[in-house]
Amino acid sequence: MTDIRNKCVQKYSVEEANDVVRKTLVEMNGGSTTFNIKTLRDHPQLYSIIEEYIQTVVHEGLKGNEFFMSYVENRNLKEGDSPEFITPVEHEFIVSEITSGTQALRRQRAGHSSSTFLTPKRQGIRLYDDWVRFMTGRADIGQLSDAMAVAVQKKKMADVYSAWANIGQSALGAIYFPAAGTYDETNLLTQIQHVSAANDNAPVVLGATLLGSRKINTSVVSEMARTEMYTKGYATNFNGVPVQILPQRHKIGSTDFQFSDNRIYILPVPMDKFIKQVEFGEGFLKIDDVGDNADLSLNLTYLTGWTTALMIGKKFGISDLL
């Protein structure tokens, strides 16, 4: 994070960076926390600080999200990160018995990795309000900047959820993602074994929404599980396998959920960050001149860019319930 006031580079936490930029804005605005058109006219350098402030707020929200930090690898081109992702491809090599004095061994191709370049796509948001409201202080550019930052953060998270929700059978294979069917405890245990075996007998965790977790039933229900159902809303273990709640989200502009309540994820521990997100790492803020619009409304436009992709490394499973 760059210290704008001293023009030097220092290490800040996300919260400290947000505070530094916010204080810088207030200082350059004569101590006032209200930012109107006159403020920007008298201090045009505030544009670049507001742009950095929006980026900081977005990063603060994402870095504080446990789900994002657990499953998303984020690259920032502005900070010099590479847009190239290397995904190791695991192979199971076979050792064969041979007769003494011979070399009758079948050649096996050595393991390799796949390389993918992700190019950010331009993203933008435009807000407007009446020019008179800006001039009288009833509309605050600072508040609109906060609203833009929150909207960008929500869109980036929505893209991550979409990548999760759109995983298809072709990406995992029928063993790890069988055809949808009615819930069966034995079938789920079989999938758990497959995922663990494919990851060197790694421990496994089940992931589901709150409603989805209540569909994970066992033939033997302990008193502890009954208590958890009443106190937490779900049983935290399935035959010794931990159950993790995946936080649900609404689709943008809708009350529809992004995650299916009929889907159970079987994830090895630790799980790799199989969702990749590459961003430009900077934004551009444009505020129209007074009179650009016939109705004297004023547009605030913020442009940035990122892309989100799914790159599966470790084997994991999905169980879809009818």
Side-chain angles (χ1 to χ4, degrees), residues 22 25 28 35 63 84 89 96-97 123-124 141 156 159 163 177 186 219 238 271 289 297 309 312:
R22 169 65 78 172
L25 283 169
M28 297 185 68
F35 303 92
K63 299 302 182 184
E84 180 185 18
V89 177
S96 303
E97 181 181 340
Q123 313 268 356
I141 292 175
K156 295 188 77 171
D159 289 352
F177 192 170
T186 301
S219 55
F238 166 77
M271 181 62 184
D289 292 329
S297 61
I312 295 175

PDB file of all heavy atoms in Angstrom, residues 22 25 28 35 63 84 89 96-97 123-124 141 156 159 163 177 186 219 238 271 289 297 309 312:
ATOM      1  N   ARG A  22      -8.595   7.228   3.777  1.00  0.00           N
ATOM      2  CA  ARG A  22      -9.724   8.021   4.248  1.00  0.00           C
ATOM      3  C   ARG A  22      -9.232   9.310   4.931  1.00  0.00           C
ATOM      4  O   ARG A  22      -9.743  10.390   4.685  1.00  0.00           O
ATOM      5  CB  ARG A  22     -10.572   7.182   5.213  1.00  0.00           C
ATOM      6  CG  ARG A  22     -11.629   7.947   5.976  1.00  0.00           C
ATOM      7  CD  ARG A  22     -12.700   8.507   5.083  1.00  0.00           C
ATOM      8  NE  ARG A  22     -13.660   7.522   4.663  1.00  0.00           N
ATOM      9  CZ  ARG A  22     -14.770   7.809   3.999  1.00  0.00           C
ATOM     10  NH1 ARG A  22     -15.033   9.055   3.656  1.00  0.00           N
ATOM     11  NH2 ARG A  22     -15.596   6.868   3.617  1.00  0.00           N
ATOM     12  N   LEU A  25      -7.996  11.845   2.391  1.00  0.00           N
ATOM     13  CA  LEU A  25      -9.104  12.546   1.739  1.00  0.00           C
ATOM     14  C   LEU A  25      -9.620  13.682   2.616  1.00  0.00           C
ATOM     15  O   LEU A  25      -9.864  14.796   2.143  1.00  0.00           O
ATOM     16  CB  LEU A  25     -10.236  11.557   1.438  1.00  0.00           C
ATOM     17  CG  LEU A  25     -10.051  10.616   0.245  1.00  0.00           C
ATOM     18  CD1 LEU A  25     -11.118   9.531   0.251  1.00  0.00           C
ATOM     19  CD2 LEU A  25     -10.098  11.386  -1.065  1.00  0.00           C
ATOM     20  N   MET A  28      -7.090  16.643   2.815  1.00  0.00           N
ATOM     21  CA  MET A  28      -7.038  17.453   1.599  1.00  0.00           C
ATOM     22  C   MET A  28      -8.341  18.217   1.371  1.00  0.00           C
ATOM     23  O   MET A  28      -8.399  19.118   0.542  1.00  0.00           O
ATOM     24  CB  MET A  28      -6.713  16.567   0.399  1.00  0.00           C
ATOM     25  CG  MET A  28      -5.347  15.891   0.486  1.00  0.00           C
ATOM     26  SD  MET A  28      -4.927  14.961  -0.997  1.00  0.00           S
ATOM     27  CE  MET A  28      -4.733  16.293  -2.173  1.00  0.00           C
ATOM     28  N   PHE A  35     -17.772  15.442   0.578  1.00  0.00           N
ATOM     29  CA  PHE A  35     -17.073  15.703  -0.682  1.00  0.00           C
ATOM     30  C   PHE A  35     -18.102  16.038  -1.765  1.00  0.00           C
ATOM     31  O   PHE A  35     -18.886  15.185  -2.169  1.00  0.00           O
ATOM     32  CB  PHE A  35     -16.254  14.469  -1.097  1.00  0.00           C
ATOM     33  CG  PHE A  35     -15.267  14.047  -0.053  1.00  0.00           C
ATOM     34  CD1 PHE A  35     -15.615  13.104   0.911  1.00  0.00           C
ATOM     35  CD2 PHE A  35     -13.997  14.586  -0.014  1.00  0.00           C
ATOM     36  CE1 PHE A  35     -14.723  12.709   1.886  1.00  0.00           C
ATOM     37  CE2 PHE A  35     -13.091  14.201   0.958  1.00  0.00           C
ATOM     38  CZ  PHE A  35     -13.451  13.264   1.905  1.00  0.00           C
ATOM     39  N   LYS A  63     -10.750  -9.555   1.551  1.00  0.00           N
ATOM     40  CA  LYS A  63      -9.751 -10.190   2.409  1.00  0.00           C
ATOM     41  C   LYS A  63     -10.336 -10.571   3.763  1.00  0.00           C
ATOM     42  O   LYS A  63      -9.819 -11.455   4.442  1.00  0.00           O
ATOM     43  CB  LYS A  63      -8.550  -9.262   2.619  1.00  0.00           C
ATOM     44  CG  LYS A  63      -7.807  -8.892   1.346  1.00  0.00           C
ATOM     45  CD  LYS A  63      -7.295 -10.090   0.583  1.00  0.00           C
ATOM     46  CE  LYS A  63      -6.523  -9.677  -0.653  1.00  0.00           C
ATOM     47  NZ  LYS A  63      -6.091 -10.833  -1.470  1.00  0.00           N
ATOM     48  N   GLU A  84      -0.464 -15.692 -15.396  1.00  0.00           N
ATOM     49  CA  GLU A  84      -0.325 -17.102 -15.770  1.00  0.00           C
ATOM     50  C   GLU A  84      -0.513 -17.987 -14.541  1.00  0.00           C
ATOM     51  O   GLU A  84       0.100 -17.772 -13.500  1.00  0.00           O
ATOM     52  CB  GLU A  84       1.042 -17.364 -16.386  1.00  0.00           C
ATOM     53  CG  GLU A  84       1.241 -18.820 -16.798  1.00  0.00           C
ATOM     54  CD  GLU A  84       2.634 -19.109 -17.308  1.00  0.00           C
ATOM     55  OE1 GLU A  84       3.543 -18.300 -17.046  1.00  0.00           O
ATOM     56  OE2 GLU A  84       2.814 -20.140 -17.969  1.00  0.00           O
ATOM     57  N   VAL A  89      -0.801 -31.454 -12.977  1.00  0.00           N
ATOM     58  CA  VAL A  89      -1.678 -32.554 -13.349  1.00  0.00           C
ATOM     59  C   VAL A  89      -1.139 -33.819 -12.688  1.00  0.00           C
ATOM     60  O   VAL A  89      -0.005 -34.228 -12.952  1.00  0.00           O
ATOM     61  CB  VAL A  89      -1.742 -32.737 -14.876  1.00  0.00           C
ATOM     62  CG1 VAL A  89      -2.617 -33.935 -15.226  1.00  0.00           C
ATOM     63  CG2 VAL A  89      -2.271 -31.471 -15.534  1.00  0.00           C
ATOM     64  N   SER A  96       6.041 -52.061 -12.349  1.00  0.00           N
ATOM     65  CA  SER A  96       5.745 -53.405 -12.840  1.00  0.00           C
ATOM     66  C   SER A  96       6.863 -54.380 -12.491  1.00  0.00           C
ATOM     67  O   SER A  96       8.042 -54.013 -12.391  1.00  0.00           O
ATOM     68  CB  SER A  96       5.552 -53.387 -14.361  1.00  0.00           C
ATOM     69  OG  SER A  96       4.531 -52.487 -14.724  1.00  0.00           O
ATOM     70  N   GLU A  97       6.498 -55.618 -12.318  1.00  0.00           N
ATOM     71  CA  GLU A  97       7.471 -56.683 -12.096  1.00  0.00           C
ATOM     72  C   GLU A  97       8.023 -57.142 -13.441  1.00  0.00           C
ATOM     73  O   GLU A  97       7.261 -57.322 -14.405  1.00  0.00           O
ATOM     74  CB  GLU A  97       6.799 -57.844 -11.371  1.00  0.00           C
ATOM     75  CG  GLU A  97       7.726 -59.007 -11.073  1.00  0.00           C
ATOM     76  CD  GLU A  97       7.014 -60.142 -10.365  1.00  0.00           C
ATOM     77  OE1 GLU A  97       5.943 -59.888  -9.769  1.00  0.00           O
ATOM     78  OE2 GLU A  97       7.518 -61.274 -10.425  1.00  0.00           O
ATOM     79  N   GLN A 123     -14.906  -3.907 -16.361  1.00  0.00           N
ATOM     80  CA  GLN A 123     -16.136  -3.856 -15.573  1.00  0.00           C
ATOM     81  C   GLN A 123     -16.377  -2.405 -15.179  1.00  0.00           C
ATOM     82  O   GLN A 123     -15.418  -1.637 -14.995  1.00  0.00           O
ATOM     83  CB  GLN A 123     -15.997  -4.700 -14.304  1.00  0.00           C
ATOM     84  CG  GLN A 123     -15.421  -6.086 -14.511  1.00  0.00           C
ATOM     85  CD  GLN A 123     -16.469  -7.145 -14.736  1.00  0.00           C
ATOM     86  OE1 GLN A 123     -17.673  -6.875 -14.669  1.00  0.00           O
ATOM     87  NE2 GLN A 123     -16.032  -8.355 -15.007  1.00  0.00           N
ATOM     88  N   GLY A 124     -17.620  -2.016 -15.055  1.00  0.00           N
ATOM     89  CA  GLY A 124     -17.889  -0.626 -14.718  1.00  0.00           C
ATOM     90  C   GLY A 124     -19.221  -0.431 -14.025  1.00  0.00           C
ATOM     91  O   GLY A 124     -20.107  -1.284 -14.066  1.00  0.00           O
ATOM     92  N   ILE A 141     -20.200  12.777  -2.691  1.00  0.00           N
ATOM     93  CA  ILE A 141     -19.383  11.951  -3.570  1.00  0.00           C
ATOM     94  C   ILE A 141     -18.697  10.844  -2.765  1.00  0.00           C
ATOM     95  O   ILE A 141     -18.509   9.724  -3.251  1.00  0.00           O
ATOM     96  CB  ILE A 141     -18.347  12.813  -4.309  1.00  0.00           C
ATOM     97  CG1 ILE A 141     -19.078  13.732  -5.305  1.00  0.00           C
ATOM     98  CG2 ILE A 141     -17.325  11.953  -5.039  1.00  0.00           C
ATOM     99  CD1 ILE A 141     -18.181  14.712  -6.012  1.00  0.00           C
ATOM    100  N   LYS A 156     -17.654  -9.123  -7.580  1.00  0.00           N
ATOM    101  CA  LYS A 156     -16.524 -10.039  -7.579  1.00  0.00           C
ATOM    102  C   LYS A 156     -16.875 -11.319  -6.817  1.00  0.00           C
ATOM    103  O   LYS A 156     -16.507 -12.423  -7.242  1.00  0.00           O
ATOM    104  CB  LYS A 156     -15.290  -9.369  -6.952  1.00  0.00           C
ATOM    105  CG  LYS A 156     -14.766  -8.191  -7.758  1.00  0.00           C
ATOM    106  CD  LYS A 156     -13.449  -7.665  -7.226  1.00  0.00           C
ATOM    107  CE  LYS A 156     -12.315  -8.578  -7.639  1.00  0.00           C
ATOM    108  NZ  LYS A 156     -10.990  -7.981  -7.315  1.00  0.00           N
ATOM    109  N   ASP A 159     -19.213 -13.472  -8.919  1.00  0.00           N
ATOM    110  CA  ASP A 159     -18.480 -14.213  -9.948  1.00  0.00           C
ATOM    111  C   ASP A 159     -17.841 -15.470  -9.359  1.00  0.00           C
ATOM    112  O   ASP A 159     -17.803 -16.523 -10.009  1.00  0.00           O
ATOM    113  CB  ASP A 159     -17.401 -13.325 -10.580  1.00  0.00           C
ATOM    114  CG  ASP A 159     -17.980 -12.233 -11.469  1.00  0.00           C
ATOM    115  OD1 ASP A 159     -19.201 -12.265 -11.718  1.00  0.00           O
ATOM    116  OD2 ASP A 159     -17.219 -11.349 -11.895  1.00  0.00           O
ATOM    117  N   ALA A 163     -18.742 -19.397 -10.403  1.00  0.00           N
ATOM    118  CA  ALA A 163     -17.750 -20.406 -10.777  1.00  0.00           C
ATOM    119  C   ALA A 163     -17.975 -21.696  -9.989  1.00  0.00           C
ATOM    120  O   ALA A 163     -17.929 -22.801 -10.541  1.00  0.00           O
ATOM    121  CB  ALA A 163     -16.342 -19.867 -10.541  1.00  0.00           C
ATOM    122  N   PHE A 177     -18.440 -37.088  -9.493  1.00  0.00           N
ATOM    123  CA  PHE A 177     -19.655 -36.296  -9.694  1.00  0.00           C
ATOM    124  C   PHE A 177     -20.674 -37.173 -10.420  1.00  0.00           C
ATOM    125  O   PHE A 177     -20.923 -37.007 -11.614  1.00  0.00           O
ATOM    126  CB  PHE A 177     -19.348 -35.047 -10.510  1.00  0.00           C
ATOM    127  CG  PHE A 177     -20.460 -34.016 -10.542  1.00  0.00           C
ATOM    128  CD1 PHE A 177     -20.246 -32.758 -11.069  1.00  0.00           C
ATOM    129  CD2 PHE A 177     -21.727 -34.306 -10.058  1.00  0.00           C
ATOM    130  CE1 PHE A 177     -21.259 -31.807 -11.119  1.00  0.00           C
ATOM    131  CE2 PHE A 177     -22.752 -33.377 -10.099  1.00  0.00           C
ATOM    132  CZ  PHE A 177     -22.509 -32.121 -10.628  1.00  0.00           C
ATOM    133  N   THR A 186     -24.925 -44.617   1.993  1.00  0.00           N
ATOM    134  CA  THR A 186     -23.827 -45.456   1.508  1.00  0.00           C
ATOM    135  C   THR A 186     -23.157 -44.843   0.294  1.00  0.00           C
ATOM    136  O   THR A 186     -21.918 -44.859   0.183  1.00  0.00           O
ATOM    137  CB  THR A 186     -24.347 -46.861   1.168  1.00  0.00           C
ATOM    138  OG1 THR A 186     -24.934 -47.457   2.326  1.00  0.00           O
ATOM    139  CG2 THR A 186     -23.208 -47.753   0.654  1.00  0.00           C
ATOM    140  N   SER A 219     -27.905 -43.106   9.567  1.00  0.00           N
ATOM    141  CA  SER A 219     -28.805 -44.124  10.117  1.00  0.00           C
ATOM    142  C   SER A 219     -28.786 -44.125  11.636  1.00  0.00           C
ATOM    143  O   SER A 219     -29.747 -44.524  12.286  1.00  0.00           O
ATOM    144  CB  SER A 219     -28.415 -45.504   9.575  1.00  0.00           C
ATOM    145  OG  SER A 219     -27.045 -45.769   9.854  1.00  0.00           O
ATOM    146  N   PHE A 238     -20.747 -35.999   9.945  1.00  0.00           N
ATOM    147  CA  PHE A 238     -21.450 -37.079   9.246  1.00  0.00           C
ATOM    148  C   PHE A 238     -20.528 -38.292   9.271  1.00  0.00           C
ATOM    149  O   PHE A 238     -19.511 -38.331   8.574  1.00  0.00           O
ATOM    150  CB  PHE A 238     -21.762 -36.666   7.802  1.00  0.00           C
ATOM    151  CG  PHE A 238     -22.169 -37.817   6.909  1.00  0.00           C
ATOM    152  CD1 PHE A 238     -23.443 -38.352   7.002  1.00  0.00           C
ATOM    153  CD2 PHE A 238     -21.280 -38.355   5.987  1.00  0.00           C
ATOM    154  CE1 PHE A 238     -23.825 -39.418   6.181  1.00  0.00           C
ATOM    155  CE2 PHE A 238     -21.653 -39.409   5.160  1.00  0.00           C
ATOM    156  CZ  PHE A 238     -22.925 -39.947   5.255  1.00  0.00           C
ATOM    157  N   MET A 271      -7.706 -28.031   0.940  1.00  0.00           N
ATOM    158  CA  MET A 271      -8.166 -27.890  -0.441  1.00  0.00           C
ATOM    159  C   MET A 271      -7.394 -26.765  -1.105  1.00  0.00           C
ATOM    160  O   MET A 271      -7.090 -25.750  -0.471  1.00  0.00           O
ATOM    161  CB  MET A 271      -9.670 -27.566  -0.459  1.00  0.00           C
ATOM    162  CG  MET A 271     -10.276 -27.425  -1.839  1.00  0.00           C
ATOM    163  SD  MET A 271     -10.150 -28.943  -2.796  1.00  0.00           S
ATOM    164  CE  MET A 271     -10.834 -28.433  -4.374  1.00  0.00           C
ATOM    165  N   ASP A 289     -18.933  16.826 -16.340  1.00  0.00           N
ATOM    166  CA  ASP A 289     -18.983  18.267 -16.133  1.00  0.00           C
ATOM    167  C   ASP A 289     -20.435  18.721 -16.010  1.00  0.00           C
ATOM    168  O   ASP A 289     -21.349  18.105 -16.578  1.00  0.00           O
ATOM    169  CB  ASP A 289     -18.323  19.008 -17.299  1.00  0.00           C
ATOM    170  CG  ASP A 289     -16.821  18.768 -17.345  1.00  0.00           C
ATOM    171  OD1 ASP A 289     -16.229  18.572 -16.270  1.00  0.00           O
ATOM    172  OD2 ASP A 289     -16.254  18.760 -18.454  1.00  0.00           O
ATOM    173  N   SER A 297     -28.486  16.412 -14.231  1.00  0.00           N
ATOM    174  CA  SER A 297     -28.038  15.334 -13.355  1.00  0.00           C
ATOM    175  C   SER A 297     -26.547  15.132 -13.577  1.00  0.00           C
ATOM    176  O   SER A 297     -25.985  15.540 -14.601  1.00  0.00           O
ATOM    177  CB  SER A 297     -28.795  14.036 -13.663  1.00  0.00           C
ATOM    178  OG  SER A 297     -28.553  13.625 -14.997  1.00  0.00           O
ATOM    179  N   ALA A 309     -12.075 -17.526 -13.120  1.00  0.00           N
ATOM    180  CA  ALA A 309     -12.057 -18.803 -13.826  1.00  0.00           C
ATOM    181  C   ALA A 309     -11.899 -19.951 -12.839  1.00  0.00           C
ATOM    182  O   ALA A 309     -11.416 -19.777 -11.715  1.00  0.00           O
ATOM    183  CB  ALA A 309     -10.931 -18.827 -14.846  1.00  0.00           C
ATOM    184  N   ILE A 312      -9.254 -26.632 -11.729  1.00  0.00           N
ATOM    185  CA  ILE A 312      -9.294 -27.700 -10.736  1.00  0.00           C
ATOM    186  C   ILE A 312      -7.951 -28.421 -10.679  1.00  0.00           C
ATOM    187  O   ILE A 312      -7.421 -28.871 -11.693  1.00  0.00           O
ATOM    188  CB  ILE A 312     -10.422 -28.693 -11.068  1.00  0.00           C
ATOM    189  CG1 ILE A 312     -11.775 -27.972 -10.945  1.00  0.00           C
ATOM    190  CG2 ILE A 312     -10.376 -29.899 -10.141  1.00  0.00           C
ATOM    191  CD1 ILE A 312     -12.951 -28.808 -11.365  1.00  0.00           C
TER     192      ILE A 312
END
